Amino acid sequence: MEKIIEVKDLITEFDGRRILDGITLDIKENEVFIILGGSGCGKTTLLKHIIGLLKPVSGSIKVFDKEIVGIEEEDLDEILMKCGVLFQNGALLNSLSVGENVAIPLEQHSNLDRELINRIIETKLNLVELAHAMYLSTSELSGGMKKRAALARAIALDPQLLFCDEPSAGLDPITSKAIDDLLLQLKRQLNMTIVVVTHELASIHRIADRIVFLDEGKALFVGTLKEALNSDIKEIQEFFTVGRFE
């Protein structure tokens, strides 16, 4: 599989404190790659760097074989058109219906007519099993339905790359499994690469192809989940063992 993201020697500091310390990893086409580790280890910070929301002190980040560190905003926007983002809280606009929320990327980044936009909205909502909710307000949705609606919006432009920040956060185990199953289904149907930040052990076991394990800003491990579970790295063993009983 070809590399779709390459991070090399990434260093980030905030207020003189080093948050990411020499991170190097690659993410391959059509895999689910998990960024994990304990609270405050730099998971979301790494994700924000990969999508260009933060600038590092030094290092390289290539997405679709293009360097994004120091890139012009217009060129970054072109790359991000191939990406979708599922934010932790969904980030749906309460003043709009579900369908209107899903329409936002299509209205902002395409010249499609209204009829075609509506057909695409229906297709995406069907994919996430929310066809019946197109005209509902977001206040009428359960937590799981909000995640699905946000996911439909994230895939509205048929991205090659999907980034998910804590997709199972705040969900009950049954709903969490349904979201995981949906991500795997979308990976197969749309041939997407999915990058997920999470600390949910059940989700990691269900969906991970490969992982990076962060600890105090360093990448202690990059590889398959099986390799991680068989490693003798103390921090990884504690994460997967203690987490079962929390």
Side-chain angles (χ1 to χ4, degrees):
M1 290 188 290
E2 290 188 16
K3 297 174 185 177
I4 199 166
I5 295 171
E6 293 179 79
V7 179
K8 188 173 182 180
D9 300 327
L10 188 69
I11 294 176
T12 293
E13 295 177 350
F14 294 140
D15 298 324
R17 187 167 73 93
R18 187 157 291 192
I19 307 299
L20 298 177
D21 191 3
I23 301 294
T24 294
L25 59 86
D26 60 69
I27 299 172
K28 300 172 183 176
E29 286 184 334
N30 199 225
E31 74 173 349
V32 177
F33 188 89
I34 307 288
I35 301 172
L36 60 93
S39 298
C41 69
K43 298 188 296 291
T44 298
T45 300
L46 176 57
L47 182 71
K48 287 180 177 178
H49 276 86
I50 294 173
I51 59 179
L53 292 179
L54 294 174
K55 295 180 180 179
V57 171
S58 62
S60 168
I61 304 170
K62 289 184 178 179
V63 181
F64 301 116
D65 208 31
K66 293 185 178 179
E67 179 64 59
I68 68 166
V69 175
I71 196 173
E72 294 291 333
E73 189 171 337
E74 185 177 330
D75 295 328
L76 178 61
D77 288 344
E78 186 178 327
I79 292 171
L80 293 180
M81 285 287 288
K82 302 176 185 177
C83 304
V85 182
L86 174 61
F87 297 98
Q88 183 174 343
N89 61 3
L92 297 172
L93 298 180
N94 293 329
S95 59
L96 302 179
S97 69
V98 170
E100 289 168 336
N101 268 282
V102 178
I104 291 172
L106 296 161
E107 293 170 344
Q108 292 183 342
H109 301 294
S110 79
N111 296 313
L112 302 175
D113 61 45
R114 190 73 243 173
E115 183 180 352
L116 186 51
I117 286 177
N118 286 339
R119 289 217 305 269
I120 293 172
I121 293 169
E122 290 173 2
T123 299
K124 302 308 179 185
L125 288 175
N126 265 319
L127 279 173
V128 300
E129 300 174 2
L130 269 187
H132 62 287
M134 183 168 178
Y135 300 105
L136 294 181
S137 69
T138 55
S139 62
E140 297 177 88
L141 304 182
S142 66
M145 291 172 73
K146 286 179 180 178
K147 293 279 188 178
R148 289 173 181 270
L151 188 52
R153 184 180 61 190
I155 63 171
L157 293 172
D158 295 325
Q160 293 174 246
L161 252 173
L162 177 65
F163 297 97
C164 303
D165 189 6
E166 300 283 3
S168 302
L171 301 179
D172 64 83
I174 293 174
T175 305
S176 176
K177 181 180 183 303
I179 294 295
D180 290 339
D181 291 343
L182 180 56
L183 289 174
L184 292 176
Q185 176 187 326
L186 292 174
K187 174 198 162 187
R188 290 191 299 268
Q189 289 183 329
L190 304 180
N191 200 35
M192 286 192 304
T193 300
I194 304 178
V195 181
V196 180
V197 169
T198 186
H199 63 272
E200 303 281 349
L201 290 187
S203 290
I204 294 165
H205 282 284
R206 278 193 292 261
I207 68 176
D209 290 314
R210 291 192 308 131
I211 70 166
V212 58
F213 187 90
L214 302 182
D215 184 69
E216 296 183 355
K218 293 182 180 292
L220 295 189
F221 174 88
V222 181
T224 67
L225 179 58
K226 183 178 180 180
E227 290 168 343
L229 295 174
N230 290 330
S231 78
D232 57 1
I233 300 172
K234 178 173 68 77
E235 291 84 356
I236 293 179
Q237 293 305 317
E238 287 178 351
F239 181 88
F240 281 98
T241 303
V242 176
R244 285 196 199 117
F245 304 102
E246 289 182 343

